[in-house]
Amino acid sequence: MKLIRSALLISVFVCAAAEAGAQGDVAAFYRGKQLRMIVGSAVGGGYDLFARIVARHLVNHIPGNPHILVQNQPAAGGVVMTNQLYTQGPKDGTVIGVPINGIPTAPLLQPSTQFDQTRLMWIGSTNREAYVAFVWHSVPIQSITELTSKEVVVGATTPGTTMVDFPQLVNDVLGFKFKIVRGYQGTPQINLAIERGEVQGMGGLGWASVKAQTPHWISERKIKVLAQYGFKRYAELSDVPTMLELAKSEADRQAMAMLFARTEYGRPYFLPPDVPMERVAALRRAFDATMTDPAFIADATRLQFDVDPLTGEQVQALVGELAATPREVVARVRAALDTAAPP
């Protein structure tokens, strides 16, 4: 018995020493380094604003306390950025990708992808998020069901984003008439276009982005929220129907659920494949600690961002489930979105 107890104690000490050694190695690697956080969308948008808050506080929880520089690479809805990090890296834990939330399903739907979403090392997500379709207050539309007979012109950036994909899919599945005007650089430009009357609203934007960028639209009742895309009604929008509630069949529901699952992992962050696992683990735990950091939460609250995080392990599991979506469901969604390709 004494021998067994001694062996167990030795094992515990060895594991503790190994863990401490790994943490020391990680701290030594990151000390004095400058990390890059690359955002796959334009400056000033919701992803960019939130990423800059995360970067500001994440450095305080990474062993070695490195610096983080935030950069933007919005081409092709973040696909170019993700392709580049996946194939070229660097794969040493010094670059963090901040994609739009369509990236985890992009390999299923977009032939231009060069990455396997299940091999990206997901380190966490800041929040589950409500996505909404809304119109300017003067637009003569009161209910989402009116869009089966009335056209609404909405601004968007590029296919692969919720601004294009979400309304495009419900056009196909529910028979709505969103007319999607693509080509805007980002949400700030679309916001100006809405106020100028160039477009009438947006067909799929994060509610957090609306609150952060144009809170006066809400307080002054400048917009009408017609529907939301989550799996359930968001508490602040409890009187606004979800698109899933309007499904006419289980097949319709499956198609929409596949695309709208991105609202569950909201704003994810990843590392390229092949980053040493001790650094992946360190950055995941640093991300978790950031999400409960009072200073971070205060900054997020100031910008009207909700914090409802997922761990890296939770995002990794959800991405794996989405990658296993039945082929017939993927084919239906892909066919609907193909019509959103630029002319």
Side-chain angles (χ1 to χ4, degrees):
M1 182 64 74
K2 289 182 179 180
L3 289 174
I4 294 174
R5 187 178 296 115
S6 298
L8 289 173
L9 287 173
I10 291 171
S11 177
V12 169
F13 289 141
V14 168
C15 290
E19 183 176 344
Q23 290 177 346
D25 290 344
V26 169
F29 174 79
Y30 282 120
R31 188 170 294 113
K33 285 223 174 28
Q34 178 173 276
L35 279 61
R36 289 185 297 144
M37 184 176 282
I38 304 180
V39 183
S41 57
V43 173
Y47 286 99
D48 176 67
L49 293 174
F50 215 157
R52 291 176 188 277
I53 299 173
V54 172
R56 188 181 308 150
H57 298 280
L58 183 65
V59 291
N60 298 323
H61 301 283
I62 299 174
N65 301 115
H67 302 287
I68 295 182
L69 173 67
V70 179
Q71 300 175 323
N72 297 76
Q73 191 175 354
V79 170
V80 171
M81 177 271 289
T82 308
N83 281 343
Q84 181 176 311
L85 293 187
Y86 185 87
T87 57
Q88 301 175 31
K91 301 180 179 182
D92 58 359
T94 60
V95 177
I96 298 171
V98 187
I100 65 167
N101 57 20
I103 289 299
T105 52
L108 299 174
L109 302 171
Q110 299 181 43
S112 60
T113 58
Q114 300 169 14
F115 61 89
D116 178 346
Q117 71 274 44
T118 65
R119 292 196 62 229
L120 295 171
M121 305 305 298
W122 300 94
I123 63 173
S125 173
T126 53
N127 58 299
R128 298 175 176 87
E129 187 171 355
Y131 278 74
V132 297
F134 65 85
V135 294
W136 195 241
H137 65 94
S138 58
V139 176
I141 297 287
Q142 303 301 324
S143 168
I144 188 65
T145 56
E146 294 179 52
L147 268 64
T148 57
S149 58
K150 298 179 181 179
E151 183 179 85
V152 168
V153 181
V154 292
T157 52
T158 182
T161 65
T162 58
M163 297 178 226
V164 173
D165 291 0
F166 280 11
Q168 188 70 33
L169 184 64
V170 294
N171 279 355
D172 181 85
V173 173
L174 300 176
F176 291 157
K177 297 183 182 298
F178 283 109
K179 181 178 179 181
I180 305 165
V181 179
R182 301 181 298 272
Y184 289 96
Q185 182 182 10
T187 50
Q189 291 72 31
I190 300 172
N191 292 339
L192 290 175
I194 292 171
E195 292 183 334
R196 290 195 297 254
E198 293 176 11
V199 295
Q200 296 173 300
M202 280 204 226
L205 184 67
W207 184 238
S209 291
V210 180
K211 293 194 295 181
Q213 297 177 57
T214 52
H216 60 288
W217 283 6
I218 301 170
S219 62
E220 298 173 11
R221 300 182 181 276
K222 293 292 187 181
I223 58 173
K224 293 179 284 189
V225 180
L226 301 178
Q228 52 188 311
Y229 292 93
F231 284 12
K232 59 183 180 181
R233 295 192 184 194
Y234 187 57
E236 290 182 21
L237 302 168
S238 59
D239 59 340
V240 178
T242 69
M243 295 294 189
L244 288 172
E245 292 171 26
L246 305 176
K248 300 171 185 175
S249 68
E250 182 58 28
D252 289 353
R253 183 177 178 82
Q254 286 182 340
M256 290 192 289
M258 175 199 159
L259 200 63
F260 303 162
R262 64 181 74 174
T263 66
E264 288 295 295
Y265 49 75
R267 298 175 185 272
Y269 292 64
F270 73 83
L271 299 168
D274 304 323
V275 172
M277 285 308 301
E278 64 272 16
R279 295 175 198 167
V280 174
L283 290 175
R284 282 177 168 174
R285 300 296 74 84
F287 187 90
D288 295 344
T290 301
M291 294 300 101
T292 59
D293 185 328
F296 165 74
I297 293 173
D299 276 352
T301 301
R302 194 174 301 116
L303 284 179
Q304 302 278 341
F305 283 128
D306 294 324
V307 179
D308 183 17
L310 296 176
T311 66
E313 291 83 357
Q314 288 174 315
V315 178
Q316 201 84 42
L318 181 54
V319 170
E321 291 174 12
L322 287 170
T325 301
R327 291 181 180 178
E328 62 274 15
V329 176
V330 173
R332 183 181 184 189
V333 175
R334 179 182 288 173
L337 298 186
D338 277 348
T339 59

